[in-house]
Amino acid sequence: MNLPSFLWLWKIAAWSMGLALLAYLMLAFTGVWMFQGRTRQQIPLIAAYISGNRGVRSLHYMMGITMVSLVLLLLAIGIVGTVGHFGSLGHSPHLAAGLIVVVLVLLSAFSATQIPNKVWARPLHISINVLLFVAFTWVSLTGWSVVQKYLP
Ligand code: HEM
Ligand code: HEM
């Protein structure tokens, strides 16, 4: 395949990444919201808090599933595009960055499912997501730099 035929694929990658970052920001926002709801002692409207918080939690959950799906889509695009072009993987640090993001996102989702049962799950979930921010930045920068060689 010639180079320009791949450009659309990297455009999808860039858009998916934008949406994944948006999902991350919404997750951070709703996560902090839940944290405050849980830790704040003097809640004037307990009933309002409980019903409102349930909405926030399901929003957080849905955004989480969205982000996991987008990251898996990006992994598939990256592998298909790279194998289609070079016939093999591992042409830049972007591979390591991508794999780290995938592992962290899956660990984050797994730890989230354990929060209701295990005490260690919540701090683990939060720490993983802080690391995920760093990994997201790295994968974006390395992705941006490898995409340059496909530009006309
Ligand atoms: C991978 C996708 C994600 C899923 C499926 C997910 C799901 C969940 C679930 C089920 C909880 C427990 C809510 C509860 O019952 O108290 C939770 C808590 C939390 N999540 Fe996520 N989450 C994801 C990603 C993120 C991200 C990216 C962030 C931050 C950038 C984040 C921040 C938080 C925080 C701060 C809490 C703790 C809330 C509290 O202390 O009450 N989550 N998450
Ligand atoms: C969560 C986000 C991402 C993941 C998991 C991911 C994953 C991957 C993987 C595993 C590869 C194969 C790398 C190799 O074998 O050398 C790849 C390649 C590639 N990705 Fe990503 N990627 C992500 C984000 C991005 C972004 C934001 C861009 C920029 C638009 C991008 C552009 C590319 C390009 C151009 C390649 C071809 C590599 C090359 O020519 O050396 N990726 N990606």
Side-chain angles (χ1 to χ4, degrees):
M1 271 190 252
N2 55 353
L3 289 184
S5 73
F6 264 109
L7 198 57
W8 63 273
L9 196 63
W10 306 129
K11 279 186 184 159
I12 297 179
W15 279 102
S16 309
M17 192 65 196
L19 289 176
L21 289 172
L22 191 64
Y24 182 94
L25 288 180
M26 289 185 68
L27 283 163
F29 190 73
T30 49
V32 168
W33 203 343
M34 286 189 291
F35 184 85
Q36 286 184 340
R38 192 170 50 79
T39 49
R40 199 176 286 150
Q41 289 304 307
Q42 49 343 340
I43 311 158
L45 294 160
I46 295 197
Y49 153 64
I50 291 171
S51 58
N53 199 259
R54 196 181 295 139
V56 172
R57 181 166 304 148
S58 48
L59 180 64
H60 187 83
Y61 219 103
M62 280 186 316
M63 293 315 300
I65 293 169
T66 307
M67 189 179 73
V68 172
S69 312
L70 285 167
V71 166
L72 293 179
L73 174 71
L74 278 156
L75 176 68
I77 292 177
I79 290 176
V80 167
T82 306
V83 171
H85 185 64
F86 292 105
S88 64
L89 291 176
H91 298 276
S92 72
H94 185 65
L95 176 63
L99 292 179
I100 287 173
V101 166
V102 170
V103 168
L104 288 176
V105 157
L106 293 179
L107 279 176
S108 172
F110 168 75
S111 62
T113 64
Q114 300 302 306
I115 288 178
N117 319 313
K118 307 278 197 305
V119 277
W120 46 259
R122 196 189 306 271
L124 182 65
H125 183 69
I126 297 173
S127 318
I128 289 172
N129 288 320
V130 172
L131 291 179
L132 186 58
F133 183 81
V134 179
F136 258 156
T137 310
W138 189 29
V139 85
S140 305
L141 293 177
T142 54
W144 188 252
S145 91
V146 289
V147 94
Q148 303 305 315
K149 61 185 173 204
Y150 294 90
L151 296 178

PDB file of all heavy atoms in Angstrom, residues 30-31 33-38 43 45-63:
ATOM      1  N   THR A  30     -15.553  13.324  37.130  1.00  0.00           N
ATOM      2  CA  THR A  30     -16.580  12.569  37.854  1.00  0.00           C
ATOM      3  C   THR A  30     -15.965  11.770  39.000  1.00  0.00           C
ATOM      4  O   THR A  30     -16.613  11.559  40.027  1.00  0.00           O
ATOM      5  CB  THR A  30     -17.367  11.635  36.910  1.00  0.00           C
ATOM      6  OG1 THR A  30     -16.444  10.879  36.116  1.00  0.00           O
ATOM      7  CG2 THR A  30     -18.274  12.408  35.980  1.00  0.00           C
ATOM      8  N   GLY A  31     -14.687  11.329  38.843  1.00  0.00           N
ATOM      9  CA  GLY A  31     -14.007  10.605  39.919  1.00  0.00           C
ATOM     10  C   GLY A  31     -13.803  11.490  41.137  1.00  0.00           C
ATOM     11  O   GLY A  31     -14.098  11.092  42.266  1.00  0.00           O
ATOM     12  N   TRP A  33     -15.487  14.106  41.821  1.00  0.00           N
ATOM     13  CA  TRP A  33     -16.844  14.388  42.292  1.00  0.00           C
ATOM     14  C   TRP A  33     -17.316  13.295  43.268  1.00  0.00           C
ATOM     15  O   TRP A  33     -17.801  13.570  44.362  1.00  0.00           O
ATOM     16  CB  TRP A  33     -17.755  14.414  41.069  1.00  0.00           C
ATOM     17  CG  TRP A  33     -19.027  15.171  41.213  1.00  0.00           C
ATOM     18  CD1 TRP A  33     -19.623  15.579  42.374  1.00  0.00           C
ATOM     19  CD2 TRP A  33     -19.861  15.621  40.148  1.00  0.00           C
ATOM     20  NE1 TRP A  33     -20.786  16.239  42.077  1.00  0.00           N
ATOM     21  CE2 TRP A  33     -20.958  16.278  40.738  1.00  0.00           C
ATOM     22  CE3 TRP A  33     -19.791  15.532  38.758  1.00  0.00           C
ATOM     23  CZ2 TRP A  33     -21.980  16.834  39.969  1.00  0.00           C
ATOM     24  CZ3 TRP A  33     -20.804  16.082  38.000  1.00  0.00           C
ATOM     25  CH2 TRP A  33     -21.876  16.728  38.599  1.00  0.00           C
ATOM     26  N   MET A  34     -17.122  12.023  42.864  1.00  0.00           N
ATOM     27  CA  MET A  34     -17.511  10.905  43.731  1.00  0.00           C
ATOM     28  C   MET A  34     -16.699  10.923  45.018  1.00  0.00           C
ATOM     29  O   MET A  34     -17.223  10.673  46.113  1.00  0.00           O
ATOM     30  CB  MET A  34     -17.271   9.567  43.016  1.00  0.00           C
ATOM     31  CG  MET A  34     -18.265   9.266  41.935  1.00  0.00           C
ATOM     32  SD  MET A  34     -18.082   7.577  41.324  1.00  0.00           S
ATOM     33  CE  MET A  34     -16.527   7.641  40.489  1.00  0.00           C
ATOM     34  N   PHE A  35     -15.400  11.235  44.867  1.00  0.00           N
ATOM     35  CA  PHE A  35     -14.511  11.266  46.035  1.00  0.00           C
ATOM     36  C   PHE A  35     -15.000  12.296  47.045  1.00  0.00           C
ATOM     37  O   PHE A  35     -15.080  12.022  48.240  1.00  0.00           O
ATOM     38  CB  PHE A  35     -13.087  11.579  45.565  1.00  0.00           C
ATOM     39  CG  PHE A  35     -12.079  11.549  46.668  1.00  0.00           C
ATOM     40  CD1 PHE A  35     -11.489  10.359  47.046  1.00  0.00           C
ATOM     41  CD2 PHE A  35     -11.719  12.714  47.334  1.00  0.00           C
ATOM     42  CE1 PHE A  35     -10.555  10.329  48.076  1.00  0.00           C
ATOM     43  CE2 PHE A  35     -10.788  12.691  48.359  1.00  0.00           C
ATOM     44  CZ  PHE A  35     -10.210  11.491  48.728  1.00  0.00           C
ATOM     45  N   GLN A  36     -15.321  13.482  46.539  1.00  0.00           N
ATOM     46  CA  GLN A  36     -15.810  14.537  47.432  1.00  0.00           C
ATOM     47  C   GLN A  36     -17.122  14.137  48.075  1.00  0.00           C
ATOM     48  O   GLN A  36     -17.317  14.336  49.273  1.00  0.00           O
ATOM     49  CB  GLN A  36     -15.996  15.840  46.643  1.00  0.00           C
ATOM     50  CG  GLN A  36     -14.671  16.495  46.308  1.00  0.00           C
ATOM     51  CD  GLN A  36     -14.870  17.832  45.619  1.00  0.00           C
ATOM     52  OE1 GLN A  36     -15.939  18.092  45.072  1.00  0.00           O
ATOM     53  NE2 GLN A  36     -13.855  18.668  45.633  1.00  0.00           N
ATOM     54  N   GLY A  37     -18.021  13.555  47.290  1.00  0.00           N
ATOM     55  CA  GLY A  37     -19.303  13.124  47.827  1.00  0.00           C
ATOM     56  C   GLY A  37     -19.126  12.127  48.955  1.00  0.00           C
ATOM     57  O   GLY A  37     -19.861  12.136  49.941  1.00  0.00           O
ATOM     58  N   ARG A  38     -18.107  11.268  48.800  1.00  0.00           N
ATOM     59  CA  ARG A  38     -17.881  10.221  49.788  1.00  0.00           C
ATOM     60  C   ARG A  38     -17.191  10.744  51.037  1.00  0.00           C
ATOM     61  O   ARG A  38     -17.491  10.331  52.152  1.00  0.00           O
ATOM     62  CB  ARG A  38     -17.036   9.114  49.155  1.00  0.00           C
ATOM     63  CG  ARG A  38     -16.960   7.820  49.951  1.00  0.00           C
ATOM     64  CD  ARG A  38     -16.311   6.744  49.113  1.00  0.00           C
ATOM     65  NE  ARG A  38     -15.053   7.222  48.522  1.00  0.00           N
ATOM     66  CZ  ARG A  38     -13.914   7.293  49.185  1.00  0.00           C
ATOM     67  NH1 ARG A  38     -13.850   6.892  50.423  1.00  0.00           N
ATOM     68  NH2 ARG A  38     -12.826   7.755  48.600  1.00  0.00           N
ATOM     69  N   ILE A  43     -23.063  16.529  55.019  1.00  0.00           N
ATOM     70  CA  ILE A  43     -23.858  16.611  53.794  1.00  0.00           C
ATOM     71  C   ILE A  43     -25.261  17.095  54.179  1.00  0.00           C
ATOM     72  O   ILE A  43     -25.970  16.419  54.914  1.00  0.00           O
ATOM     73  CB  ILE A  43     -23.964  15.252  53.092  1.00  0.00           C
ATOM     74  CG1 ILE A  43     -22.579  14.620  52.966  1.00  0.00           C
ATOM     75  CG2 ILE A  43     -24.582  15.409  51.721  1.00  0.00           C
ATOM     76  CD1 ILE A  43     -22.652  13.122  52.779  1.00  0.00           C
ATOM     77  N   LEU A  45     -27.951  17.560  52.251  1.00  0.00           N
ATOM     78  CA  LEU A  45     -29.060  16.863  51.598  1.00  0.00           C
ATOM     79  C   LEU A  45     -28.612  15.451  51.242  1.00  0.00           C
ATOM     80  O   LEU A  45     -28.188  15.181  50.123  1.00  0.00           O
ATOM     81  CB  LEU A  45     -29.491  17.604  50.334  1.00  0.00           C
ATOM     82  CG  LEU A  45     -30.118  18.988  50.559  1.00  0.00           C
ATOM     83  CD1 LEU A  45     -30.058  19.802  49.279  1.00  0.00           C
ATOM     84  CD2 LEU A  45     -31.551  18.850  51.029  1.00  0.00           C
ATOM     85  N   ILE A  46     -28.680  14.582  52.240  1.00  0.00           N
ATOM     86  CA  ILE A  46     -28.167  13.235  52.028  1.00  0.00           C
ATOM     87  C   ILE A  46     -28.912  12.522  50.901  1.00  0.00           C
ATOM     88  O   ILE A  46     -28.302  11.871  50.053  1.00  0.00           O
ATOM     89  CB  ILE A  46     -28.258  12.423  53.347  1.00  0.00           C
ATOM     90  CG1 ILE A  46     -27.321  13.084  54.350  1.00  0.00           C
ATOM     91  CG2 ILE A  46     -27.875  10.967  53.100  1.00  0.00           C
ATOM     92  CD1 ILE A  46     -26.957  12.281  55.532  1.00  0.00           C
ATOM     93  N   ALA A  47     -30.205  12.696  50.869  1.00  0.00           N
ATOM     94  CA  ALA A  47     -30.988  12.032  49.836  1.00  0.00           C
ATOM     95  C   ALA A  47     -30.563  12.497  48.448  1.00  0.00           C
ATOM     96  O   ALA A  47     -30.340  11.687  47.542  1.00  0.00           O
ATOM     97  CB  ALA A  47     -32.469  12.308  50.049  1.00  0.00           C
ATOM     98  N   ALA A  48     -30.400  13.809  48.297  1.00  0.00           N
ATOM     99  CA  ALA A  48     -29.987  14.370  47.014  1.00  0.00           C
ATOM    100  C   ALA A  48     -28.606  13.844  46.626  1.00  0.00           C
ATOM    101  O   ALA A  48     -28.361  13.502  45.469  1.00  0.00           O
ATOM    102  CB  ALA A  48     -29.957  15.893  47.096  1.00  0.00           C
ATOM    103  N   TYR A  49     -27.746  13.745  47.624  1.00  0.00           N
ATOM    104  CA  TYR A  49     -26.399  13.247  47.381  1.00  0.00           C
ATOM    105  C   TYR A  49     -26.443  11.819  46.851  1.00  0.00           C
ATOM    106  O   TYR A  49     -25.822  11.480  45.856  1.00  0.00           O
ATOM    107  CB  TYR A  49     -25.580  13.323  48.675  1.00  0.00           C
ATOM    108  CG  TYR A  49     -24.469  12.319  48.780  1.00  0.00           C
ATOM    109  CD1 TYR A  49     -23.383  12.342  47.897  1.00  0.00           C
ATOM    110  CD2 TYR A  49     -24.504  11.337  49.752  1.00  0.00           C
ATOM    111  CE1 TYR A  49     -22.376  11.410  47.990  1.00  0.00           C
ATOM    112  CE2 TYR A  49     -23.495  10.411  49.847  1.00  0.00           C
ATOM    113  CZ  TYR A  49     -22.439  10.443  48.963  1.00  0.00           C
ATOM    114  OH  TYR A  49     -21.444   9.523  49.057  1.00  0.00           O
ATOM    115  N   ILE A  50     -27.227  10.971  47.504  1.00  0.00           N
ATOM    116  CA  ILE A  50     -27.248   9.566  47.093  1.00  0.00           C
ATOM    117  C   ILE A  50     -27.785   9.420  45.666  1.00  0.00           C
ATOM    118  O   ILE A  50     -27.165   8.776  44.831  1.00  0.00           O
ATOM    119  CB  ILE A  50     -28.077   8.713  48.082  1.00  0.00           C
ATOM    120  CG1 ILE A  50     -27.328   8.639  49.424  1.00  0.00           C
ATOM    121  CG2 ILE A  50     -28.294   7.318  47.527  1.00  0.00           C
ATOM    122  CD1 ILE A  50     -28.125   8.018  50.540  1.00  0.00           C
ATOM    123  N   SER A  51     -28.908  10.074  45.388  1.00  0.00           N
ATOM    124  CA  SER A  51     -29.480   9.912  44.052  1.00  0.00           C
ATOM    125  C   SER A  51     -28.568  10.559  43.005  1.00  0.00           C
ATOM    126  O   SER A  51     -28.317   9.987  41.949  1.00  0.00           O
ATOM    127  CB  SER A  51     -30.876  10.515  43.989  1.00  0.00           C
ATOM    128  OG  SER A  51     -30.816  11.878  44.335  1.00  0.00           O
ATOM    129  N   GLY A  52     -28.031  11.753  43.331  1.00  0.00           N
ATOM    130  CA  GLY A  52     -27.148  12.424  42.388  1.00  0.00           C
ATOM    131  C   GLY A  52     -25.888  11.626  42.155  1.00  0.00           C
ATOM    132  O   GLY A  52     -25.431  11.469  41.036  1.00  0.00           O
ATOM    133  N   ASN A  53     -25.359  11.055  43.241  1.00  0.00           N
ATOM    134  CA  ASN A  53     -24.109  10.335  43.149  1.00  0.00           C
ATOM    135  C   ASN A  53     -24.250   9.074  42.303  1.00  0.00           C
ATOM    136  O   ASN A  53     -23.329   8.681  41.610  1.00  0.00           O
ATOM    137  CB  ASN A  53     -23.649   9.964  44.554  1.00  0.00           C
ATOM    138  CG  ASN A  53     -22.178   9.638  44.594  1.00  0.00           C
ATOM    139  OD1 ASN A  53     -21.808   8.497  44.618  1.00  0.00           O
ATOM    140  ND2 ASN A  53     -21.352  10.649  44.547  1.00  0.00           N
ATOM    141  N   ARG A  54     -25.425   8.464  42.343  1.00  0.00           N
ATOM    142  CA  ARG A  54     -25.629   7.271  41.532  1.00  0.00           C
ATOM    143  C   ARG A  54     -25.526   7.629  40.040  1.00  0.00           C
ATOM    144  O   ARG A  54     -24.952   6.894  39.265  1.00  0.00           O
ATOM    145  CB  ARG A  54     -26.989   6.644  41.851  1.00  0.00           C
ATOM    146  CG  ARG A  54     -27.099   5.229  41.352  1.00  0.00           C
ATOM    147  CD  ARG A  54     -28.475   4.638  41.654  1.00  0.00           C
ATOM    148  NE  ARG A  54     -28.727   4.489  43.077  1.00  0.00           N
ATOM    149  CZ  ARG A  54     -29.902   4.760  43.662  1.00  0.00           C
ATOM    150  NH1 ARG A  54     -30.907   5.214  42.949  1.00  0.00           N
ATOM    151  NH2 ARG A  54     -30.066   4.574  44.952  1.00  0.00           N
ATOM    152  N   GLY A  55     -26.091   8.809  39.704  1.00  0.00           N
ATOM    153  CA  GLY A  55     -25.987   9.271  38.323  1.00  0.00           C
ATOM    154  C   GLY A  55     -24.543   9.500  37.935  1.00  0.00           C
ATOM    155  O   GLY A  55     -24.107   9.102  36.848  1.00  0.00           O
ATOM    156  N   VAL A  56     -23.781  10.137  38.832  1.00  0.00           N
ATOM    157  CA  VAL A  56     -22.377  10.414  38.551  1.00  0.00           C
ATOM    158  C   VAL A  56     -21.608   9.106  38.372  1.00  0.00           C
ATOM    159  O   VAL A  56     -20.784   8.973  37.467  1.00  0.00           O
ATOM    160  CB  VAL A  56     -21.750  11.245  39.696  1.00  0.00           C
ATOM    161  CG1 VAL A  56     -20.253  11.369  39.506  1.00  0.00           C
ATOM    162  CG2 VAL A  56     -22.390  12.605  39.766  1.00  0.00           C
ATOM    163  N   ARG A  57     -21.911   8.116  39.227  1.00  0.00           N
ATOM    164  CA  ARG A  57     -21.203   6.850  39.146  1.00  0.00           C
ATOM    165  C   ARG A  57     -21.465   6.136  37.818  1.00  0.00           C
ATOM    166  O   ARG A  57     -20.544   5.645  37.190  1.00  0.00           O
ATOM    167  CB  ARG A  57     -21.618   5.954  40.317  1.00  0.00           C
ATOM    168  CG  ARG A  57     -20.911   4.617  40.312  1.00  0.00           C
ATOM    169  CD  ARG A  57     -21.085   3.908  41.634  1.00  0.00           C
ATOM    170  NE  ARG A  57     -20.607   4.769  42.717  1.00  0.00           N
ATOM    171  CZ  ARG A  57     -21.124   4.779  43.935  1.00  0.00           C
ATOM    172  NH1 ARG A  57     -22.128   4.005  44.236  1.00  0.00           N
ATOM    173  NH2 ARG A  57     -20.623   5.582  44.853  1.00  0.00           N
ATOM    174  N   SER A  58     -22.727   6.131  37.375  1.00  0.00           N
ATOM    175  CA  SER A  58     -22.982   5.429  36.113  1.00  0.00           C
ATOM    176  C   SER A  58     -22.387   6.207  34.938  1.00  0.00           C
ATOM    177  O   SER A  58     -21.919   5.609  33.966  1.00  0.00           O
ATOM    178  CB  SER A  58     -24.466   5.130  35.905  1.00  0.00           C
ATOM    179  OG  SER A  58     -25.219   6.271  36.147  1.00  0.00           O
ATOM    180  N   LEU A  59     -22.365   7.545  35.054  1.00  0.00           N
ATOM    181  CA  LEU A  59     -21.687   8.337  34.014  1.00  0.00           C
ATOM    182  C   LEU A  59     -20.200   7.970  33.981  1.00  0.00           C
ATOM    183  O   LEU A  59     -19.617   7.738  32.917  1.00  0.00           O
ATOM    184  CB  LEU A  59     -21.859   9.832  34.304  1.00  0.00           C
ATOM    185  CG  LEU A  59     -21.207  10.799  33.317  1.00  0.00           C
ATOM    186  CD1 LEU A  59     -21.850  10.657  31.941  1.00  0.00           C
ATOM    187  CD2 LEU A  59     -21.343  12.240  33.792  1.00  0.00           C
ATOM    188  N   HIS A  60     -19.597   7.891  35.172  1.00  0.00           N
ATOM    189  CA  HIS A  60     -18.180   7.529  35.280  1.00  0.00           C
ATOM    190  C   HIS A  60     -17.946   6.149  34.647  1.00  0.00           C
ATOM    191  O   HIS A  60     -17.005   5.957  33.881  1.00  0.00           O
ATOM    192  CB  HIS A  60     -17.790   7.521  36.762  1.00  0.00           C
ATOM    193  CG  HIS A  60     -16.333   7.337  37.029  1.00  0.00           C
ATOM    194  ND1 HIS A  60     -15.445   8.377  36.997  1.00  0.00           N
ATOM    195  CD2 HIS A  60     -15.606   6.242  37.332  1.00  0.00           C
ATOM    196  CE1 HIS A  60     -14.238   7.932  37.273  1.00  0.00           C
ATOM    197  NE2 HIS A  60     -14.296   6.625  37.482  1.00  0.00           N
ATOM    198  N   TYR A  61     -18.836   5.229  34.955  1.00  0.00           N
ATOM    199  CA  TYR A  61     -18.700   3.873  34.424  1.00  0.00           C
ATOM    200  C   TYR A  61     -18.812   3.859  32.902  1.00  0.00           C
ATOM    201  O   TYR A  61     -18.008   3.227  32.208  1.00  0.00           O
ATOM    202  CB  TYR A  61     -19.783   2.972  35.039  1.00  0.00           C
ATOM    203  CG  TYR A  61     -19.283   1.588  35.353  1.00  0.00           C
ATOM    204  CD1 TYR A  61     -18.975   1.217  36.655  1.00  0.00           C
ATOM    205  CD2 TYR A  61     -19.107   0.656  34.343  1.00  0.00           C
ATOM    206  CE1 TYR A  61     -18.502  -0.047  36.946  1.00  0.00           C
ATOM    207  CE2 TYR A  61     -18.628  -0.611  34.629  1.00  0.00           C
ATOM    208  CZ  TYR A  61     -18.332  -0.962  35.924  1.00  0.00           C
ATOM    209  OH  TYR A  61     -17.850  -2.205  36.195  1.00  0.00           O
ATOM    210  N   MET A  62     -19.798   4.583  32.365  1.00  0.00           N
ATOM    211  CA  MET A  62     -19.987   4.592  30.906  1.00  0.00           C
ATOM    212  C   MET A  62     -18.807   5.249  30.199  1.00  0.00           C
ATOM    213  O   MET A  62     -18.342   4.760  29.168  1.00  0.00           O
ATOM    214  CB  MET A  62     -21.286   5.314  30.550  1.00  0.00           C
ATOM    215  CG  MET A  62     -22.515   4.429  30.735  1.00  0.00           C
ATOM    216  SD  MET A  62     -24.034   5.184  30.167  1.00  0.00           S
ATOM    217  CE  MET A  62     -23.944   6.834  30.781  1.00  0.00           C
ATOM    218  N   MET A  63     -18.303   6.357  30.769  1.00  0.00           N
ATOM    219  CA  MET A  63     -17.133   7.003  30.167  1.00  0.00           C
ATOM    220  C   MET A  63     -15.933   6.065  30.231  1.00  0.00           C
ATOM    221  O   MET A  63     -15.106   6.037  29.323  1.00  0.00           O
ATOM    222  CB  MET A  63     -16.784   8.306  30.910  1.00  0.00           C
ATOM    223  CG  MET A  63     -17.796   9.431  30.802  1.00  0.00           C
ATOM    224  SD  MET A  63     -18.444   9.715  29.164  1.00  0.00           S
ATOM    225  CE  MET A  63     -17.009  10.101  28.251  1.00  0.00           C
TER     226      MET A  63
END
